[in-house]
Amino acid sequence: MRSIWNGAISFGLVSIPIKLVSATESHSITFRQIHIEDNGRIRYRKVCELEEREVSQAEIGKGYEDADGSIIPISDEDLSHLPIPTARTIEIVAFVPADRIDPLQMGSAYYLAAGGAPAAKPYTLLREALKRSNKVAIAKYALRGRERLGMLRVVGDAIAMHGLLWPDEVRAPEGVAPDVDVTIRDKELDLADALMDTLGEVDLEDLHDEYREALEEVIAAKASGEAPPEAPAPAAGGQVLDLMAALENSVRAARESRGAQPAAGEAEVRPLPRGRAAPKEAGGKKSTKAAAAEKTATARKSTSKTAGGTKKNAAAKTTAKSAAKSAAPAKKTAAKKTASRKWSA
């Protein structure tokens, strides 16, 4: 790895020659600005706004813009007189527990490589001292013309340094938290804990940039003259109205995705009941109470049907009897008329 800064670590009266190398790298895909009509590159040119002409790098200096818009020129000679004792030295000023460092302060990461064989022993001494103390070193150093704050810690067999923001560069979180009274129930916290336990274990090596991989496929397809692959439909989003249901569903989905079963003694999260289906016992059979309730309901329906049928039959018989009674006098009258006609004849 190519070093970007050479100097020494100042550890009391001990000086450790080191080289500073970047500990991270970016795999992000970058784009160029182009002219849409002919794919020509769009470039920025450095133009003096007073003379309206392009200037070379040798003609460009530094200047500070005052509040009224006026420019105060600052030369390299002016900067050379500034007191920067850490221009070539990483000066350790304290050793503190790691949890004293606010992650908000942490910035760029570097590896400190020993600068040659003479640096091997003091380098190893500092590394082992940091390991045994379980502490990190706070240091000052200068990079690119600015004095900076850093934190040294052990990573494997190497010493790493994280650039830190100065404490006054971290904003207070005023006005960020919700300004309303919210009550969180124990059941909600229990479900949140269950979700954290399910999602908490992951191998960071398995995580990768899916967007970058999809973007590489698009670029490869365009380069070969093929149609870019279709992107999957985004997940449906929306406002969470039932927090408990959302937590229960999240725990269940996380367990299913990892093939996990509820631990012994742990309550299993079940979906909320929908409809009027009778509850079932383990093994898929309906409970005794549910079965008895169903039998009672069936018996009532059967009784209702039987009673209804009996009433209908009784009504039919009554109607038939009434019809028979009404028909009887008519038959007698018809018989008398027939007999009368015979005697008359």
Side-chain angles (χ1 to χ4, degrees), residues 19-316:
K19 297 179 180 180
L20 192 70
V21 297
S22 294
T24 61
E25 58 185 0
S26 174
H27 292 162
S28 298
I29 296 176
T30 58
F31 296 101
R32 302 290 189 183
Q33 289 188 333
I34 62 171
H35 188 199
I36 296 177
E37 292 185 1
D38 53 17
N39 292 345
R41 284 281 306 278
I42 302 298
R43 300 180 182 274
Y44 292 97
R45 302 183 184 277
K46 298 178 180 179
V47 177
C48 174
E49 63 178 16
L50 298 180
E51 299 182 9
E52 296 183 353
R53 68 175 182 87
E54 186 176 354
V55 296
S56 63
Q57 185 62 37
E59 299 177 87
I60 299 175
K62 298 182 182 68
Y64 175 80
E65 185 174 1
D66 208 349
D68 59 1
S70 60
I71 301 296
I72 302 173
I74 302 294
S75 66
D76 291 339
E77 184 180 355
D78 296 330
L79 297 176
S80 65
H81 298 298
L82 293 179
I84 305 182
T86 56
R88 286 293 172 186
T89 304
I90 298 175
E91 180 184 354
I92 295 177
V93 296
F95 293 89
V96 300
D99 58 9
R100 286 272 305 275
I101 305 301
D102 188 340
L104 287 174
Q105 288 184 257
M106 299 179 67
S108 301
Y110 307 94
Y111 287 131
L112 305 181
K121 186 167 184 176
Y123 184 98
T124 305
L125 171 65
L126 176 59
R127 183 191 67 199
E128 296 303 315
L130 288 172
K131 279 185 181 180
R132 191 167 70 172
S133 67
N134 289 321
K135 293 182 178 181
V136 296
I138 303 300
K140 288 183 176 182
Y141 67 102
L143 184 64
R144 300 185 181 96
R146 287 181 51 197
E147 187 170 52
R148 304 169 189 264
L149 193 63
M151 177 190 76
L152 277 63
R153 68 184 183 96
V154 177
V155 177
D157 291 332
I159 298 175
M161 182 174 70
H162 296 269
L164 298 180
L165 296 174
W166 296 97
D168 60 358
E169 292 180 320
V170 179
R171 295 176 176 176
E174 296 178 358
V176 177
D179 190 17
V180 293
D181 293 331
V182 178
T183 301
I184 302 297
R185 295 177 291 172
D186 290 341
K187 179 62 176 176
E188 293 170 335
L189 282 175
D190 292 341
L191 286 171
D193 288 341
L195 181 58
M196 292 169 63
D197 291 340
T198 305
L199 298 178
E201 297 297 330
V202 65
D203 187 354
L204 295 180
E205 297 294 331
D206 294 336
L207 301 179
H208 55 95
D209 188 348
E210 296 180 4
Y211 176 81
R212 177 172 57 85
E213 292 174 355
L215 183 56
E216 289 174 347
E217 292 180 3
V218 171
I219 294 174
K222 295 278 286 185
S224 60
E226 300 176 358
E230 294 185 2
Q239 184 178 4
V240 177
L241 300 179
D242 190 339
L243 181 58
M244 286 292 293
L247 286 170
E248 289 173 348
N249 292 334
S250 298
V251 172
R252 188 183 310 107
R255 284 176 176 163
E256 290 175 355
S257 67
R258 295 171 183 264
Q261 298 295 331
E266 181 182 350
E268 181 181 0
V269 179
R270 298 177 179 271
L272 297 176
R274 296 180 181 177
R276 298 183 179 180
K280 295 184 179 181
E281 296 177 344
K285 295 182 179 181
K286 295 181 179 178
S287 64
T288 304
K289 291 183 178 179
E294 283 196 1
K295 288 182 179 178
T296 303
T298 304
R300 286 178 180 173
K301 290 181 180 178
S302 177
T303 303
S304 177
K305 289 181 180 179
T306 304
T310 303
K311 289 181 180 179
K312 289 181 180 179
N313 292 338

